[in-house]
Short mmCIF file of all heavy atoms in Angstrom, two decimals:
data_model
loop_
_atom_site.label_atom_id
_atom_site.label_comp_id
_atom_site.label_asym_id
_atom_site.label_seq_id
_atom_site.Cartn_x
_atom_site.Cartn_y
_atom_site.Cartn_z
N SER W 1 5.45 -28.79 -5.68
CA SER W 1 6.80 -28.35 -5.36
C SER W 1 7.37 -27.44 -6.41
O SER W 1 6.98 -27.48 -7.58
CB SER W 1 7.74 -29.57 -5.20
OG SER W 1 7.32 -30.43 -4.17
N LEU W 2 8.31 -26.60 -5.99
CA LEU W 2 9.10 -25.76 -6.88
C LEU W 2 10.53 -25.74 -6.36
O LEU W 2 10.77 -25.91 -5.17
CB LEU W 2 8.57 -24.33 -6.94
CG LEU W 2 7.35 -24.04 -7.78
CD1 LEU W 2 6.91 -22.59 -7.56
CD2 LEU W 2 7.63 -24.28 -9.25
N ARG W 3 11.47 -25.49 -7.26
CA ARG W 3 12.87 -25.34 -6.89
C ARG W 3 13.39 -24.03 -7.45
O ARG W 3 13.44 -23.84 -8.66
CB ARG W 3 13.70 -26.51 -7.41
CG ARG W 3 15.16 -26.51 -6.93
CD ARG W 3 15.86 -27.80 -7.35
NE ARG W 3 17.19 -27.93 -6.79
CZ ARG W 3 18.32 -27.76 -7.48
NH1 ARG W 3 18.28 -27.45 -8.77
NH2 ARG W 3 19.50 -27.92 -6.88
N LEU W 4 13.78 -23.13 -6.56
CA LEU W 4 14.35 -21.85 -6.94
C LEU W 4 15.87 -21.95 -6.98
O LEU W 4 16.47 -22.65 -6.17
CB LEU W 4 13.94 -20.75 -5.97
CG LEU W 4 12.44 -20.55 -5.72
CD1 LEU W 4 12.24 -19.37 -4.77
CD2 LEU W 4 11.71 -20.33 -7.03
N SER W 5 16.47 -21.22 -7.90
CA SER W 5 17.92 -21.16 -8.01
C SER W 5 18.36 -19.72 -8.13
O SER W 5 17.65 -18.88 -8.68
CB SER W 5 18.41 -21.96 -9.22
OG SER W 5 18.09 -23.33 -9.10
N CYS W 6 19.54 -19.44 -7.61
CA CYS W 6 20.13 -18.11 -7.68
C CYS W 6 21.61 -18.24 -7.96
O CYS W 6 22.33 -18.88 -7.19
CB CYS W 6 19.90 -17.34 -6.38
SG CYS W 6 20.70 -15.72 -6.31
N ALA W 7 22.05 -17.64 -9.05
CA ALA W 7 23.45 -17.68 -9.44
C ALA W 7 24.07 -16.31 -9.21
O ALA W 7 23.53 -15.29 -9.66
CB ALA W 7 23.59 -18.08 -10.90
N ALA W 8 25.19 -16.28 -8.51
CA ALA W 8 25.90 -15.04 -8.22
C ALA W 8 27.12 -14.91 -9.11
O ALA W 8 27.82 -15.90 -9.37
CB ALA W 8 26.32 -15.00 -6.75
N SER W 9 27.37 -13.71 -9.56
CA SER W 9 28.55 -13.43 -10.37
C SER W 9 29.15 -12.10 -9.92
O SER W 9 28.49 -11.29 -9.29
CB SER W 9 28.22 -13.39 -11.86
OG SER W 9 27.28 -12.38 -12.14
N GLY W 10 30.40 -11.89 -10.26
CA GLY W 10 31.11 -10.70 -9.86
C GLY W 10 32.11 -11.01 -8.76
O GLY W 10 32.84 -11.99 -8.84
N SER W 11 32.13 -10.17 -7.73
CA SER W 11 33.08 -10.32 -6.63
C SER W 11 32.58 -11.35 -5.62
O SER W 11 32.41 -11.05 -4.43
CB SER W 11 33.33 -8.97 -5.96
OG SER W 11 33.85 -8.04 -6.89
N THR W 12 32.36 -12.56 -6.08
CA THR W 12 31.74 -13.58 -5.25
C THR W 12 32.67 -14.11 -4.16
O THR W 12 32.20 -14.77 -3.22
CB THR W 12 31.24 -14.75 -6.11
OG1 THR W 12 32.33 -15.28 -6.87
CG2 THR W 12 30.15 -14.27 -7.06
N PHE W 13 33.95 -13.84 -4.26
CA PHE W 13 34.89 -14.32 -3.24
C PHE W 13 34.61 -13.70 -1.88
O PHE W 13 35.02 -14.24 -0.86
CB PHE W 13 36.33 -14.03 -3.67
CG PHE W 13 36.61 -12.58 -3.90
CD1 PHE W 13 37.00 -11.75 -2.85
CD2 PHE W 13 36.49 -12.01 -5.16
CE1 PHE W 13 37.26 -10.40 -3.05
CE2 PHE W 13 36.74 -10.67 -5.38
CZ PHE W 13 37.12 -9.87 -4.33
N SER W 14 33.92 -12.57 -1.85
CA SER W 14 33.66 -11.86 -0.60
C SER W 14 32.37 -12.30 0.09
O SER W 14 32.10 -11.85 1.19
CB SER W 14 33.61 -10.36 -0.85
OG SER W 14 32.51 -10.02 -1.70
N ILE W 15 31.59 -13.17 -0.53
CA ILE W 15 30.29 -13.57 0.01
C ILE W 15 30.48 -14.51 1.19
O ILE W 15 31.24 -15.47 1.12
CB ILE W 15 29.43 -14.23 -1.07
CG1 ILE W 15 29.10 -13.23 -2.18
CG2 ILE W 15 28.14 -14.78 -0.46
CD1 ILE W 15 28.41 -13.84 -3.37
N THR W 16 29.74 -14.24 2.26
CA THR W 16 29.78 -15.10 3.44
C THR W 16 28.47 -15.86 3.65
O THR W 16 28.48 -16.95 4.22
CB THR W 16 30.08 -14.29 4.70
OG1 THR W 16 29.10 -13.26 4.86
CG2 THR W 16 31.47 -13.66 4.61
N THR W 17 27.35 -15.29 3.22
CA THR W 17 26.04 -15.90 3.42
C THR W 17 25.17 -15.66 2.21
O THR W 17 25.19 -14.58 1.62
CB THR W 17 25.34 -15.32 4.67
OG1 THR W 17 26.18 -15.48 5.81
CG2 THR W 17 24.02 -16.02 4.93
N MET W 18 24.38 -16.67 1.84
CA MET W 18 23.38 -16.53 0.79
C MET W 18 22.05 -16.99 1.33
O MET W 18 21.99 -17.85 2.22
CB MET W 18 23.75 -17.35 -0.45
CG MET W 18 25.10 -16.99 -1.06
SD MET W 18 25.45 -17.86 -2.62
CE MET W 18 24.33 -16.99 -3.75
N GLY W 19 20.97 -16.42 0.81
CA GLY W 19 19.68 -16.81 1.32
C GLY W 19 18.53 -16.33 0.47
O GLY W 19 18.71 -15.71 -0.58
N TRP W 20 17.33 -16.65 0.95
CA TRP W 20 16.10 -16.28 0.29
C TRP W 20 15.18 -15.53 1.24
O TRP W 20 15.02 -15.92 2.41
CB TRP W 20 15.36 -17.52 -0.23
CG TRP W 20 16.09 -18.20 -1.35
CD1 TRP W 20 16.98 -19.23 -1.26
CD2 TRP W 20 15.97 -17.90 -2.74
NE1 TRP W 20 17.42 -19.58 -2.50
CE2 TRP W 20 16.83 -18.79 -3.43
CE3 TRP W 20 15.23 -16.97 -3.48
CZ2 TRP W 20 16.96 -18.77 -4.82
CZ3 TRP W 20 15.36 -16.95 -4.85
CH2 TRP W 20 16.21 -17.84 -5.51
N TYR W 21 14.58 -14.47 0.75
CA TYR W 21 13.56 -13.71 1.45
C TYR W 21 12.34 -13.63 0.55
O TYR W 21 12.43 -13.83 -0.65
CB TYR W 21 14.06 -12.31 1.79
CG TYR W 21 15.19 -12.28 2.80
CD1 TYR W 21 16.46 -12.73 2.47
CD2 TYR W 21 14.97 -11.81 4.10
CE1 TYR W 21 17.49 -12.71 3.40
CE2 TYR W 21 16.00 -11.78 5.03
CZ TYR W 21 17.25 -12.23 4.66
OH TYR W 21 18.28 -12.20 5.59
N ARG W 22 11.18 -13.35 1.15
CA ARG W 22 9.98 -13.23 0.34
C ARG W 22 9.13 -12.07 0.84
O ARG W 22 9.20 -11.67 1.99
CB ARG W 22 9.17 -14.53 0.36
CG ARG W 22 8.56 -14.89 1.71
CD ARG W 22 7.93 -16.27 1.66
NE ARG W 22 7.30 -16.63 2.92
CZ ARG W 22 6.79 -17.83 3.17
NH1 ARG W 22 6.82 -18.78 2.24
NH2 ARG W 22 6.23 -18.08 4.35
N GLN W 23 8.32 -11.55 -0.08
CA GLN W 23 7.43 -10.44 0.25
C GLN W 23 6.10 -10.64 -0.45
O GLN W 23 6.04 -10.69 -1.69
CB GLN W 23 8.05 -9.10 -0.16
CG GLN W 23 7.26 -7.89 0.31
CD GLN W 23 8.04 -6.61 0.17
OE1 GLN W 23 8.99 -6.52 -0.62
NE2 GLN W 23 7.68 -5.60 0.93
N ALA W 24 5.04 -10.76 0.34
CA ALA W 24 3.69 -10.85 -0.18
C ALA W 24 3.10 -9.45 -0.30
O ALA W 24 3.54 -8.52 0.39
CB ALA W 24 2.83 -11.72 0.73
N PRO W 25 2.09 -9.26 -1.15
CA PRO W 25 1.49 -7.93 -1.31
C PRO W 25 1.01 -7.36 0.02
O PRO W 25 0.31 -8.05 0.78
CB PRO W 25 0.33 -8.18 -2.26
CG PRO W 25 0.75 -9.38 -3.05
CD PRO W 25 1.51 -10.24 -2.07
N GLY W 26 1.39 -6.13 0.31
CA GLY W 26 0.97 -5.46 1.52
C GLY W 26 1.67 -5.90 2.79
O GLY W 26 1.29 -5.47 3.88
N LYS W 27 2.68 -6.74 2.67
CA LYS W 27 3.39 -7.25 3.84
C LYS W 27 4.87 -6.91 3.78
O LYS W 27 5.40 -6.57 2.74
CB LYS W 27 3.20 -8.76 3.99
CG LYS W 27 1.77 -9.19 4.25
CD LYS W 27 1.69 -10.67 4.55
CE LYS W 27 0.27 -11.08 4.91
NZ LYS W 27 0.19 -12.53 5.24
N GLN W 28 5.52 -7.02 4.94
CA GLN W 28 6.96 -6.79 5.03
C GLN W 28 7.73 -7.96 4.42
O GLN W 28 7.26 -9.10 4.42
CB GLN W 28 7.38 -6.60 6.48
CG GLN W 28 6.78 -5.39 7.17
CD GLN W 28 7.40 -4.10 6.68
OE1 GLN W 28 8.61 -4.03 6.46
NE2 GLN W 28 6.58 -3.08 6.51
N ARG W 29 8.91 -7.66 3.91
CA ARG W 29 9.80 -8.71 3.44
C ARG W 29 10.27 -9.53 4.64
O ARG W 29 10.64 -8.97 5.68
CB ARG W 29 10.98 -8.12 2.69
CG ARG W 29 11.86 -9.14 2.02
CD ARG W 29 12.95 -8.49 1.16
NE ARG W 29 12.38 -7.71 0.08
CZ ARG W 29 13.10 -7.11 -0.87
NH1 ARG W 29 14.43 -7.24 -0.87
NH2 ARG W 29 12.50 -6.41 -1.81
N GLU W 30 10.27 -10.84 4.51
CA GLU W 30 10.64 -11.72 5.61
C GLU W 30 11.66 -12.75 5.17
O GLU W 30 11.72 -13.15 4.01
CB GLU W 30 9.40 -12.44 6.17
CG GLU W 30 8.75 -13.39 5.19
CD GLU W 30 7.59 -14.16 5.80
OE1 GLU W 30 7.36 -14.04 7.02
OE2 GLU W 30 6.90 -14.89 5.05
N LEU W 31 12.46 -13.18 6.12
CA LEU W 31 13.44 -14.22 5.88
C LEU W 31 12.75 -15.55 5.64
O LEU W 31 11.80 -15.90 6.34
CB LEU W 31 14.40 -14.32 7.07
CG LEU W 31 15.52 -15.36 6.99
CD1 LEU W 31 16.75 -14.86 7.72
CD2 LEU W 31 15.07 -16.69 7.59
N VAL W 32 13.24 -16.29 4.65
CA VAL W 32 12.78 -17.65 4.40
C VAL W 32 13.84 -18.64 4.86
O VAL W 32 13.57 -19.53 5.67
CB VAL W 32 12.44 -17.88 2.92
CG1 VAL W 32 12.00 -19.32 2.68
CG2 VAL W 32 11.36 -16.91 2.47
N ALA W 33 15.05 -18.51 4.34
CA ALA W 33 16.13 -19.41 4.70
C ALA W 33 17.46 -18.79 4.31
O ALA W 33 17.55 -18.05 3.33
CB ALA W 33 15.97 -20.77 4.00
N THR W 34 18.50 -19.09 5.08
CA THR W 34 19.85 -18.65 4.76
C THR W 34 20.82 -19.81 4.94
O THR W 34 20.54 -20.77 5.67
CB THR W 34 20.32 -17.48 5.64
OG1 THR W 34 20.33 -17.88 7.02
CG2 THR W 34 19.41 -16.27 5.47
N ILE W 35 21.97 -19.68 4.30
CA ILE W 35 23.03 -20.68 4.44
C ILE W 35 24.37 -19.96 4.37
O ILE W 35 24.59 -19.09 3.54
CB ILE W 35 22.92 -21.78 3.36
CG1 ILE W 35 23.95 -22.88 3.60
CG2 ILE W 35 23.03 -21.20 1.96
CD1 ILE W 35 23.69 -24.14 2.78
N THR W 36 25.28 -20.30 5.28
CA THR W 36 26.60 -19.69 5.32
C THR W 36 27.56 -20.42 4.41
O THR W 36 27.27 -21.50 3.89
CB THR W 36 27.16 -19.68 6.75
OG1 THR W 36 27.44 -21.04 7.15
CG2 THR W 36 26.17 -19.06 7.72
#
């Protein structure tokens, strides 16, 4: 297992959704998960 974290700073009051995407070598970036 691994646990990824992402901290946002700046004009964060305007954020409606946060999420994770991933991209493997030679492939398109794809959605992993989002949360509103």
Side-chain angles (χ1 to χ4, degrees):
S1 299
L2 282 173
R3 186 173 187 254
L4 305 182
S5 297
C6 175
S9 61
S11 300
T12 57
F13 59 87
S14 64
I15 296 173
T16 57
T17 304
M18 302 186 73
W20 292 93
Y21 293 71
R22 67 187 182 187
Q23 187 167 22
K27 295 187 176 181
Q28 297 287 321
R29 188 174 297 185
E30 65 176 354
L31 180 147
V32 178
T34 61
I35 185 167
T36 68

